[in-house]
Amino acid sequence: MLRLETIICTFSVLSVAARADFKARNCSEVREACQERGFAFAHVPHQEIPGEDLRVCTYEHTCCTQEMEDRFGQQSKLDFENLLDETSHTLRSTFVSRHKRFDEFFLELLENTERSLNEMFVRTYGKPYMQNAEVFENLFAELKRYYTGGNVNLEEMLNDFWSRLLERMFTLLNSQYVITEDYLECISKYTDELKPFGDVPRKLKAQVTRAFIAARTFVQGLSVGREVAQRVSKVNSTPACIRGLTKMLFCPFCRGMPGVKPCKNYCLNVMKGCLANQADLDPEWNQYIDAMLLVAQRLEGPFNIQSVMDPIDVKISEAIMNMQDNSAQVSFRVFQGCGQPKLAEISRSARDTSDVFSARFRPYNPEEPPTTAAGTSLDKLVVDIKEKLKLSKKFWSSLPEAMCVEDRVTAGNVSDEDCWNGHTKGRYFPEVQKDGLTNQMNNPEVGVDITRPDTFIRQQIMALRVMTNKLRNAYNGNDIYFQDTSDEGSGSGSGSGCTEGCTTDMYSAATEAPVVRADRSGPMEDSAPHHAPSIALPTVLALLALTLHRQWR
């Protein structure tokens, strides 16, 4: 009996001590911390209350009401989104600013080159040039349309330019004859054979196509990187993520210790769970960055668009001089193939004093180096972009580390025993999870369904994959939408992957068919050689259709 009384007495003393300890713990610090954070709660307990109504911060005694816990959940989501926005701000602003700078540089380079050529040719060639200036205006208009996403086949467009220039020059140099549209059509058939402009068209075509493909693909790559960064930085937090964030950021309030910040490893597990899908973007993002750096190397070297565009007026002038020097031979060969055109009904004296004399082009001797866009060097611009691109590698997998910054989110330079571990102040024991969705199966802080990848993130991964493929092709001088089939083994192609009206902000991967210039129709004067269309392709298709039809039967 005495032993029983002793036990009862001991239990009573412990109960009184526990009640005394419970009464001693108040929530004054929590009230002050809530006021500092701007929370306007209807009621904050003065002392701890039973916590059976709470769903996240589930403790026997708490300084939180259900209203407070709900509000903490909303604030956790907002704080997380703001922190992600701040952490990714440098990346996003880098792509926005570098895309803008490169785009402005390129368009200004085109504008300055066209103006320089026009001024030089007016001064050098005078009236013949001014009467035919639209040929050159169309050249630059098409180059700009290609760069800004237009549906242009570069090689075909350049071939068309030289054909038009040949027609205009032949007419000027043979102004004593009547040169009809049909006759010009016949002349164009001899362009490759005659090579009236020497080797300039072939060399210039190779240089322009490679440089423009690289420049356009590079600026599109910057645009895609900008869009992906902006879109992925806007996340839709899952309920499990919000729960984990609330427990990490605000459950210390409910435990009466609002000044205690999360342990570093605890924060990492929460962030890795919340950003599991973003981390899966990293492998494709890194490959995209590597492909951008490869094209940047080309822009610094053999595909340097500035080194191609600055002297383009000199190169075209050289081609014109080749045509003039060989005008007699060219005219003779054309007359052989297309026949002798009729003489114009105009007196010889009228021709001698004006058109014929003016048509004798004078060679161009550059007096000063060509202008550059805004005094900016492409090399310097590309070097700057390369440095920024290198810094952005592994960005998405490093986000948790970047967001769990000391003092801002985590406890900082304190001992492992003085941080919030999700339950109380003390050491955090669970192991930090690896990056990516599949590695979150056993995340102790955030429940992640690894069988349901985020479809939005997967769309961004696909966009990066498509862009990476385009960049790798551009590195080799190819545009994946316009492969050159006329000269197998040349390793070059040109054109666009976008419909009319697109800009350099190209983000979609829509495939377009190349534009084919319609030839002028009409009978040839005299007996120009005619080539029947090839029947090989229709024959093959017909045989294939017949074979399939028999198999289906």
Side-chain angles (χ1 to χ4, degrees):
M1 185 68 179
L2 180 61
R3 185 177 180 182
L4 178 61
E5 289 178 352
T6 303
I7 293 174
I8 293 174
C9 182
T10 303
F11 178 77
S12 299
V13 171
L14 291 174
S15 299
V16 170
R19 286 196 299 272
D21 178 63
F22 166 68
K23 290 180 180 179
R25 296 169 61 183
N26 60 62
C27 302
S28 59
E29 290 185 23
V30 177
R31 294 172 63 87
E32 294 175 2
C34 288
Q35 291 175 355
E36 290 176 0
R37 292 290 302 268
F39 291 113
F41 295 123
H43 172 66
V44 177
H46 290 278
Q47 293 181 331
E48 288 184 325
I49 60 175
E52 63 268 10
D53 293 334
L54 303 185
R55 291 166 295 182
V56 180
C57 304
T58 53
Y59 310 112
E60 183 178 359
H61 302 292
T62 180
C63 286
C64 293
T65 62
Q66 188 172 352
E67 176 207 6
M68 293 172 65
E69 188 184 56
D70 292 342
R71 182 68 181 86
F72 286 156
Q74 297 170 11
Q75 189 63 42
S76 297
K77 180 177 183 294
L78 182 62
D79 287 351
F80 174 67
E81 291 173 352
N82 289 340
L83 183 59
L84 179 57
D85 183 76
E86 291 176 18
T87 307
S88 62
H89 173 75
T90 299
L91 177 73
R92 290 181 286 113
S93 62
T94 293
F95 276 91
V96 169
S97 62
R98 269 53 183 186
H99 174 271
K100 184 173 183 292
R101 287 182 61 188
F102 189 91
D103 193 45
E104 289 177 346
F105 173 86
F106 193 95
L107 292 174
E108 188 176 353
L109 177 65
L110 275 179
E111 181 182 339
N112 287 352
T113 303
E114 181 177 11
R115 182 171 60 250
S116 175
L117 182 144
N118 182 70
E119 293 173 353
M120 177 201 311
F121 279 28
V122 167
R123 182 172 65 249
T124 305
Y125 303 129
K127 183 179 177 182
Y129 165 73
M130 290 185 286
Q131 290 175 334
N132 298 278
E134 72 273 9
V135 175
F136 300 90
E137 293 170 358
N138 290 338
L139 170 65
F140 283 96
E142 288 297 284
L143 288 173
K144 181 177 180 180
R145 193 162 73 89
Y146 172 82
Y147 170 75
T148 55
N151 197 0
V152 178
N153 187 307
L154 269 183
E155 291 190 2
E156 184 176 303
M157 182 273 293
L158 290 170
N159 290 338
D160 188 69
F161 164 74
W162 292 111
S163 295
R164 299 288 79 76
L165 187 58
L166 171 60
E167 293 172 2
R168 299 301 180 92
M169 287 196 64
F170 186 87
T171 301
L172 283 171
L173 295 170
N174 294 277
S175 58
Q176 67 271 33
Y177 296 105
V178 176
I179 308 297
T180 64
E181 288 290 307
D182 292 340
Y183 199 86
L184 290 176
E185 183 69 24
C186 180
I187 293 174
S188 66
K189 295 181 181 295
Y190 289 90
T191 303
D192 292 338
E193 178 185 339
L194 295 172
K195 290 185 170 46
F197 300 109
D199 207 29
V200 173
R202 183 187 65 81
K203 292 181 178 178
L204 195 60
K205 180 169 68 172
Q207 294 170 348
V208 169
T209 52
R210 293 184 309 180
F212 267 77
I213 288 169
R216 186 176 82 157
T217 308
F218 191 72
V219 79
Q220 288 175 358
L222 290 172
S223 177
V224 168
R226 178 193 64 189
E227 294 299 322
V228 169
Q230 290 178 338
R231 294 178 182 188
V232 177
S233 297
K234 308 294 182 183
V235 294
N236 291 321
S237 304
T238 64
C241 170
I242 297 174
R243 180 184 178 89
L245 291 167
T246 304
K247 185 178 179 182
M248 179 180 75
L249 298 174
F250 289 103
C251 283
F253 283 63
C254 300
R255 290 289 282 168
M257 49 185 76
V260 179
K261 291 185 177 182
C263 301
K264 179 68 175 290
N265 287 351
Y266 175 35
C267 177
L268 288 175
N269 273 340
V270 173
M271 293 302 179
K272 284 174 183 283
C274 289
L275 298 170
N277 283 283
Q278 280 76 3
D280 281 350
L281 192 75
D282 219 44
E284 204 64 50
W285 176 266
N286 292 337
Q287 291 188 44
Y288 152 76
I289 294 297
D290 287 338
M292 286 288 291
L293 292 172
L294 285 175
V295 176
Q297 291 177 10
R298 291 296 204 201
L299 289 173
E300 290 178 304
F303 297 177
N304 188 310
I305 190 66
Q306 190 169 16
S307 65
V308 171
M309 294 306 295
D310 278 346
I312 197 170
D313 43 14
V314 179
K315 294 176 182 178
I316 294 176
S317 179
E318 178 187 343
I320 291 173
M321 290 304 303
N322 288 335
M323 172 67 182
Q324 176 174 287
D325 293 342
N326 299 306
S327 61
Q329 297 93 317
V330 170
S331 297
F332 176 75
R333 295 288 296 278
V334 170
F335 293 159
Q336 276 188 322
C338 298
Q340 188 86 10
K342 297 177 181 179
L343 285 170
E345 296 179 0
I346 181 172
S347 65
R348 183 168 182 81
S349 60
R351 294 198 306 270
D352 288 345
T353 57
S354 57
D355 292 343
V356 176
F357 177 81
S358 298
R360 306 307 297 174
F361 296 106
R362 299 184 298 277
Y364 163 65
N365 295 314
E367 299 173 357
E368 56 185 19
T371 57
T372 57
T376 305
S377 165
L378 177 66
D379 290 337
K380 292 181 180 179
L381 182 58
V382 172
V383 166
D384 171 69
I385 294 175
K386 281 175 59 179
E387 291 176 353
K388 301 299 182 183
L389 289 173
K390 290 176 183 177
L391 293 175
S392 71
K393 287 195 70 173
K394 299 183 179 180
F395 175 82
W396 304 103
S397 61
S398 64
L399 260 181
E401 188 76 33
M403 293 179 70
C404 291
V405 289
E406 296 180 356
D407 296 330
R408 173 71 185 273
V409 176
T410 59
N413 296 322
V414 299
S415 70
D416 294 339
E417 305 293 339
D418 293 330
C419 56
W420 173 253
N421 62 17
H423 303 281
T424 187
K425 184 168 70 172
R427 184 184 298 271
Y428 182 78
F429 291 100
E431 181 182 0
V432 176
Q433 303 299 297
K434 295 180 180 179
D435 299 313
L437 184 64
T438 57
N439 290 315
Q440 305 311 310
M441 179 183 294
N442 298 315
N443 191 309
E445 309 306 336
V446 179
V448 180
D449 186 353
I450 65 171
T451 66
R452 299 181 63 182
D454 188 296
T455 55
F456 181 77
I457 297 295
R458 266 50 196 176
Q459 290 173 359
Q460 310 314 307
I461 290 175
M462 183 55 64
L464 288 173
R465 190 168 297 161
V466 171
M467 193 67 245
T468 299
N469 187 35
K470 289 191 67 177
L471 288 163
R472 288 171 177 167
N473 275 274
Y475 174 78
N476 294 318
N478 300 323
D479 189 308
I480 61 174
Y481 299 121
F482 286 92
Q483 296 298 334
D484 182 12
T485 57
S486 63
D487 183 16
E488 292 185 7
S490 65
S492 65
S494 60
S496 166
C498 187
T499 56
E500 196 71 33
C502 290
T503 65
T504 51
D505 293 345
M506 176 168 174
Y507 186 59
S508 64
T511 305
E512 298 291 336
V515 176
V516 179
R517 180 178 62 86
D519 291 333
R520 287 183 296 241
S521 59
M524 293 289 102
E525 284 192 11
D526 301 291
S527 56
H530 287 69
H531 301 282
S534 172
I535 63 171
L537 181 58
T539 302
V540 171
L541 292 176
L543 291 173
L544 179 60
L546 180 59
T547 302
L548 292 174
H549 177 68
R550 287 177 176 174
Q551 289 178 351
W552 291 335
R553 292 180 61 188

